Amino acid sequence: MEKSRDVWTISYLLNWTINYFKSKGIESARLDAEVLLSHVLGQKRIYLYVHFDEPMEAKELAKFREYVAKRARHIPVAYILGQREFMGLDFKVTKDTLIPRPDTEILVENTIAKVNENFGDKQSYDIVDIGTGSGAIILSLLKNLPKARGFTVDISANAVAVAKENAQNNNVSNTEFFAGDVEIVLDDLINNKGLKADVVMFDPPRKGLDKKSIDNILNIRPKKIVYISCNPATLIRDLADFENEYDIKTIIPVDMFPFTSHVECVATLQLK
């Protein structure tokens, strides 16, 4: 960025940044530049075009230069800003959590519809989220399903801390958080604390689910299962363990990581 330039207007700075990001191979150059600049200014993106000739202040330029340098190194915008909007809610994200993807909103919206269809007449129902990360999925569900109670598990204590903060910031109180090895925590919740889930969602690592967790899920017989998988081989292996008790309703590829060859699969299962 030309530090010697006397005046940087919003328009000039935005156009310069877009071209710079393109030169670095960033495909979402305009969107990223708009999001970063509007964040620095504390305004919505439309402000950049309404006030295009407004000069930037020195402290604003300094912060924006910092953001631009990070994005040029292909650090995701959400990690630069430490937040991401998802389902109309703001979520804190850190290096300990994945970034919620827009495509995942479709999964959440479909799950909300199915839960209302299956459990709308119940006074309350329980949703278990295994591998909760930032909490974007479970907290968005709970925000839209006031009769639901959430139970979340993640192996990372740091991720659980972020999810708790997101719950507080989004005024979601109908959930409990547990940190630890999924096999151990889930076994304790089911066999010692008497957890009975109506819906179970899990997003395991590439190795898939452990056998003990699968057996525990089969024992409590949730009416609906949502399996988010990053490895088709372990997905198929694990689904084979559920096929006697569950009908596989859908398996849908979801592009959670645009501009890469990585595609996740979302399988939905219904109790027979």
Side-chain angles (χ1 to χ4, degrees), residues 97 132-133 152-165 177-180:
T97 68
T132 193
T152 76
V153 183
D154 200 290
I155 195 169
S156 168
N158 290 335
V160 170
V162 171
K164 285 182 177 180
E165 187 174 339
F177 299 89
F178 301 90

Side-chain angles (χ1 to χ4, degrees), residues 15-31:
N15 288 327
W16 185 95
T17 306
I18 291 168
N19 291 329
Y20 180 64
F21 282 168
K22 286 180 178 178
S23 74
K24 296 295 183 179
I26 297 172
E27 298 195 31
S28 54
R30 176 174 291 277
L31 175 61

Side-chain angles (χ1 to χ4, degrees), residues 10-64:
I10 287 176
S11 177
Y12 188 93
L13 183 59
L14 183 61
N15 288 327
W16 185 95
T17 306
I18 291 168
N19 291 329
Y20 180 64
F21 282 168
K22 286 180 178 178
S23 74
K24 296 295 183 179
I26 297 172
E27 298 195 31
S28 54
R30 176 174 291 277
L31 175 61
D32 292 355
E34 290 176 349
V35 170
L36 293 173
L37 186 52
S38 60
H39 183 83
V40 167
L41 296 173
Q43 302 287 347
K44 295 187 180 298
R45 284 160 53 198
I46 189 64
Y47 181 93
L48 306 178
Y49 297 97
V50 175
H51 300 268
F52 63 93
D53 58 349
E54 180 179 303
M56 299 283 293
E57 296 181 4
K59 62 180 181 180
E60 295 169 339
L61 278 172
K63 174 57 71 175
F64 189 65

Side-chain angles (χ1 to χ4, degrees), residues 73-88:
R73 300 198 301 272
H74 290 259
I75 297 174
V77 169
Y79 286 149
I80 295 172
L81 301 182
Q83 66 182 57
R84 181 62 173 259
E85 182 181 342
F86 183 82
M87 290 291 293

Side-chain angles (χ1 to χ4, degrees), residues 26-257:
I26 297 172
E27 298 195 31
S28 54
R30 176 174 291 277
L31 175 61
D32 292 355
E34 290 176 349
V35 170
L36 293 173
L37 186 52
S38 60
H39 183 83
V40 167
L41 296 173
Q43 302 287 347
K44 295 187 180 298
R45 284 160 53 198
I46 189 64
Y47 181 93
L48 306 178
Y49 297 97
V50 175
H51 300 268
F52 63 93
D53 58 349
E54 180 179 303
M56 299 283 293
E57 296 181 4
K59 62 180 181 180
E60 295 169 339
L61 278 172
K63 174 57 71 175
F64 189 65
R65 284 192 184 99
E66 178 187 330
Y67 287 169
V68 169
K70 290 180 178 179
R71 186 67 188 111
R73 300 198 301 272
H74 290 259
I75 297 174
V77 169
Y79 286 149
I80 295 172
L81 301 182
Q83 66 182 57
R84 181 62 173 259
E85 182 181 342
F86 183 82
M87 290 291 293
L89 305 173
D90 286 327
F91 288 91
K92 176 180 178 179
V93 294
T94 72
K95 60 181 177 60
D96 299 298
T97 68
L98 293 176
I99 299 170
R101 301 298 314 179
D103 301 63
T104 314
E105 292 188 355
I106 300 172
L107 165 65
V108 173
E109 290 167 351
N110 288 341
T111 302
I112 291 170
K114 290 296 183 182
V115 168
N116 279 326
E117 179 184 321
N118 287 284
F119 308 108
D121 57 345
K122 295 188 68 173
Q123 291 298 314
S124 65
Y125 42 87
D126 295 338
I127 302 175
V128 175
D129 182 29
I130 299 171
T132 193
S134 68
I137 292 178
I138 184 64
L139 297 178
S140 297
L141 287 173
L142 296 175
K143 193 74 174 179
N144 289 276
L145 299 167
K147 293 194 294 184
R149 294 183 302 175
F151 298 85
T152 76
V153 183
D154 200 290
I155 195 169
S156 168
N158 290 335
V160 170
V162 171
K164 285 182 177 180
E165 187 174 339
N166 283 328
Q168 183 176 6
N169 292 341
N170 287 294
N171 298 313
V172 178
S173 58
N174 50 331
T175 188
E176 296 183 45
F177 299 89
F178 301 90
D181 184 274
V182 170
E183 180 180 355
I184 297 172
V185 175
L186 188 62
D187 184 67
D188 179 61
L189 286 173
I190 291 174
N191 295 309
N192 296 328
K193 295 183 171 62
L195 175 66
K196 298 290 185 183
D198 298 288
V199 180
V200 173
M201 304 184 302
F202 35 81
D203 185 359
R206 292 188 63 81
K207 66 179 181 180
L209 284 172
D210 61 272
K211 189 67 168 63
K212 189 172 186 179
S213 293
I214 291 175
D215 289 341
N216 276 322
I217 292 168
L218 287 170
N219 286 339
I220 60 174
R221 293 171 61 82
K223 191 170 183 180
K224 185 176 181 63
I225 293 174
V226 179
Y227 191 144
I228 304 171
S229 172
C230 60
N231 186 345
T234 53
L235 171 64
I236 296 303
R237 180 201 69 196
D238 292 347
L239 291 181
D241 288 330
F242 288 103
E243 64 181 356
N244 288 335
E245 301 290 336
Y246 287 83
D247 289 323
I248 300 172
K249 292 297 186 180
T250 59
I251 301 179
I252 302 172
V254 179
D255 187 9
M256 293 187 179
F257 303 94

